[in-house]
Amino acid sequence: MKRWKKPLLALGALLAVAILVGVSVLRSQEGVVKVQTATAISRTIRAIVNASGQIQPKTYADIDANSIGQVTQLLVKEGARVHKGQLLAVVQNVQQAADVKAFQAAVRTAVAQYAAAKATLATSKADLANTQAQMNQARANWSRAESLYGDQLISKQEYQTDQTTFDTARAERDLSAAKVRQSAANLLSSAAAIAQAKANLARVKNVYELTQLRSPLNGLVTYLPVHVGDTVVVGIQNQPGSEVMRVANMKIVQADLQVDETDINSVQIGQKATLTIDAYGNHVFHATVTEVGDTAILRSTGQAASTNTGTNTDQAKDFKVVLTLDHPPADVRPGLSCTANIVTATATHAVTVPLQAIVERTQAQLDPPRDGAVQAAPPAASGRNPKLIQGVFVLRAGHAVFVPVTTGVTGVDNIQVTKGVRPGDAVVIGPYHALRTMPNHSPVRIDNTVSTASTTSSL
């Protein structure tokens, strides 16, 4: 054999050995699935409902015009702090002020007339007493004359004179009594005139006061759409009057949120929440759920969803949820945009796995083939809805074993497993295709070079 043939033979032998080793390795890797894994750990997990909305005061008052006219005075500016009863604006009120003065004069006149009637009544009573005394004297004289005339001691003329005097005194007494009754009636009429004048004065004062807009509460002027000279009108029937301004009490501040209909069942009064207000950057405020709406609101229009027609069935709906801030900032303003995270459930010392680890299989997909070979999970039978089993793939001895689980609180990225997984178990979290199609007890090879974030985004 020639010397140059020996190296060639050695090289060929090495190449044959390499091919045999490569084929052996490839055959050993047949059916092995490359997966990413995560470890089940014990932690505190919270279920969060996220919603957005805007800041609103719990108590506020829209001050509308109560009379027609031009705004003649605006005594505050938007953003001013006001107290209850403070005069805020004045609407044209020349006629109303004149009516008040006129009826004030009418009251004074009625009071004077009452005083005059009272004095007249006193005079009439005094006159009645005088005429009563004169009549009594005349009766006594006539009675004595009658006795003397019977004894023939006086003349008939003297007797008749005393009788006439008594009749005259009695007539004057009756006239005085009539004047007393008339004076008493005039006094009652004067008293009624005072009451009527005072009632008219109260009416025109009320009309006048309606032109003076005062604050019904302590608060902040948060909305002021009018200017001096603008004409405002009073509301009629279902049409509100011109809104002059809004005063809000900002001591109790709320966040009015729109919660998606898929989350509303988990939101309850008393749950705690954290809140960020766009105007305050990343500062976190704490709040409590104080109101959960019962009426669905159309997201497109903000109106209540109709319950008697089918026209709104395909539209997205929200429910109103109100949070009350525990310690609102002193300078917070209504209408500021905010975002809230409502804690709807909390579990401590909970065994958790990433959300993407949870998969579903039918029993047919989990049962091994009769010949003992491992094969891909068959698709569900058409026309039937087989029962799905929820579980995770746990790594055991190099194989991914499907373990049925019972879940609890669902967090943002993780979910609580109450049964089936223990802390420290390695569970398969990707790739997505492997989780969908991987048969039970598949041999796997771990490759965690792909980040969890990338795996999550692929889902």
Side-chain angles (χ1 to χ4, degrees):
M1 179 181 296
K2 295 183 179 180
R3 183 176 298 175
W4 59 272
K5 289 183 179 182
K6 290 182 179 181
L8 287 177
L9 291 174
L11 181 60
L14 290 174
L15 182 59
V17 170
I19 292 174
L20 291 174
V21 171
V23 171
S24 177
V25 171
L26 288 175
R27 286 182 177 178
S28 66
Q29 294 295 325
E30 287 182 357
V32 175
V33 181
K34 185 187 296 185
V35 296
Q36 290 92 40
T37 62
T39 303
I41 61 175
S42 178
R43 69 174 82 189
T44 297
I45 186 171
R46 295 178 176 85
I48 302 294
V49 170
N50 180 269
S52 59
Q54 61 181 6
I55 296 297
Q56 293 291 354
K58 180 179 181 180
T59 305
Y60 65 90
D62 290 329
I63 302 176
D64 297 336
N66 296 314
S67 61
I68 300 175
Q70 287 186 335
V71 177
T72 57
Q73 296 182 61
L74 278 178
L75 304 177
V76 294
K77 296 181 179 180
E78 189 168 322
R81 295 192 176 276
V82 298
H83 59 267
K84 184 177 181 179
Q86 179 178 340
L87 182 61
L88 306 177
V90 177
V91 179
Q92 187 176 27
N93 56 14
V94 175
Q95 183 61 51
Q96 293 87 339
D99 290 341
V100 170
K101 291 181 180 179
F103 280 99
Q104 285 174 339
V107 169
R108 291 193 294 268
T109 300
V111 170
Q113 291 175 346
Y114 177 82
K118 189 175 182 180
T120 300
L121 177 60
T123 301
S124 298
K125 287 181 176 180
D127 185 59
L128 174 61
N130 182 50
T131 56
Q132 181 71 41
Q134 291 177 354
M135 186 194 73
N136 292 338
Q137 182 62 43
R139 179 187 288 116
N141 292 337
W142 177 61
S143 178
R144 185 171 58 254
E146 186 177 26
S147 176
L148 292 174
Y149 178 71
D151 293 337
Q152 300 293 318
L153 296 177
I154 61 173
S155 64
K156 184 178 181 180
Q157 183 179 2
E158 289 177 333
Y159 168 74
Q160 291 176 341
T161 298
D162 288 339
Q163 184 180 17
T164 302
T165 300
F166 169 68
D167 290 340
T168 301
R170 183 171 56 183
E172 289 179 353
R173 192 283 312 268
D174 292 342
L175 179 60
S176 296
K179 288 182 178 179
V180 168
R181 290 193 295 271
Q182 183 180 7
S183 297
N186 290 337
L187 185 64
L188 291 175
S189 177
S190 298
I194 291 176
Q196 182 179 10
K198 287 184 176 180
N200 288 331
L201 178 60
R203 176 178 57 82
V204 296
K205 273 187 173 181
N206 180 66
V207 174
Y208 173 74
E209 290 171 355
L210 291 178
T211 66
Q212 298 183 322
L213 304 180
R214 299 180 181 274
S215 176
L217 48 84
N218 298 327
L220 184 74
V221 178
T222 59
Y223 181 54
L224 184 59
V226 301
H227 304 84
V228 173
D230 289 349
T231 298
V232 294
V233 297
V234 67
I236 54 174
Q237 294 183 351
N238 295 328
Q239 183 66 31
S242 302
E243 185 174 0
V244 179
M245 66 184 69
R246 174 178 290 183
V247 177
N249 184 348
M250 300 304 296
K251 290 185 178 180
I252 302 178
V253 179
Q254 300 180 158
D256 291 351
L257 307 177
Q258 301 297 325
V259 175
D260 189 270
E261 59 183 322
T262 59
D263 296 324
I264 193 63
N265 283 339
S266 60
V267 179
Q268 298 178 4
I269 293 177
Q271 292 174 339
K272 299 298 181 180
T274 56
L275 188 79
T276 57
I277 303 174
D278 292 356
Y280 292 85
N282 294 326
H283 185 83
V284 176
F285 300 93
H286 296 277
T288 305
V289 177
T290 53
E291 182 182 336
V292 179
D294 293 325
T295 303
I297 300 172
L298 295 179
R299 191 175 300 170
S300 58
T301 62
Q303 302 297 318
S306 173
T307 58
N308 54 8
T309 65
T311 57
N312 300 323
T313 55
D314 295 333
Q315 297 190 39
K317 301 179 183 69
D318 294 323
F319 284 81
K320 180 181 177 181
V321 172
V322 177
L323 304 182
T324 298
L325 275 68
D326 296 342
H327 302 287
D331 56 347
V332 68
R333 295 180 178 274
L336 294 177
S337 298
C338 61
T339 303
N341 292 320
I342 304 172
V343 180
T344 58
T346 302
T348 58
H349 306 293
V351 179
T352 64
V353 298
L355 281 171
Q356 62 266 33
I358 302 297
V359 294
E360 291 180 335
R361 292 289 192 271
T362 65
Q363 188 59 50
Q365 293 172 331
L366 297 175
D367 292 337
R370 293 181 180 179
D371 57 4
V374 177
Q375 61 184 18
S382 60
R384 303 180 65 181
N385 294 316
K387 181 179 178 181
L388 295 174
I389 303 172
Q390 180 179 255
V392 296
F393 281 102
V394 179
L395 264 63
R396 292 177 180 171
H399 290 74
V401 179
F402 183 88
V403 177
V405 297
T406 302
T407 58
V409 176
T410 302
V412 177
D413 300 315
N414 297 276
I415 187 170
Q416 178 189 14
V417 178
T418 59
K419 183 179 180 181
V421 175
R422 295 176 297 179
D425 285 349
V427 297
V428 178
I429 61 172
Y432 179 62
H433 178 74
L435 287 172
R436 280 181 56 86
T437 61
M438 184 169 57
N440 193 10
H441 293 281
S442 294
V444 295
R445 179 168 61 88
I446 300 174
D447 183 4
N448 288 332
T449 56
V450 179
S451 65
T452 303
S454 300
T455 306
T456 305
S457 63
S458 67
L459 299 178

